[in-house]
Amino acid sequence: MPKIKTNRAAAKRFRVTGTGKFKFKKAFAGHILTSKSRKRKRSLRQGNIIDASNVKSIRRMLPNL
């Protein structure tokens, strides 16, 4: 059997927490920040946990984590 490869795009976007959940950084905070409200930009700074419905597909992309 060949080795299972990690999806490198997913590996750069997701990290595993100590409890085995996946966390990610929110999008849309890179540029054109003048048109976004202070509240929205503050919310985008926070990380987030992957929803349970998507965990199966993320685990398949990151088999070695």
Side-chain angles (χ1 to χ4, degrees):
M1 289 293 292
K3 291 181 180 179
I4 299 173
K5 288 190 174 181
T6 298
N7 181 312
R8 298 312 297 162
K12 291 168 188 173
R13 287 167 173 79
F14 305 110
R15 296 280 176 262
V16 184
T17 64
T19 57
K21 295 177 181 175
F22 291 100
K23 64 180 184 175
F24 68 98
K25 189 180 183 308
K26 291 180 185 171
F28 303 107
H31 62 113
I32 315 177
L33 297 172
T34 52
S35 62
K36 294 169 184 146
S37 70
R38 190 177 301 173
K39 180 180 177 181
R40 182 174 170 193
K41 288 185 281 192
R42 195 166 54 241
S43 164
L44 291 172
R45 271 188 238 135
Q46 307 300 315
N48 216 339
I49 301 292
I50 290 290
D51 189 66
S53 60
N54 297 319
V55 168
K56 187 177 177 182
S57 61
I58 301 294
R59 261 196 213 293
R60 198 175 292 133
M61 286 191 274
L62 305 172
N64 302 319
L65 296 182

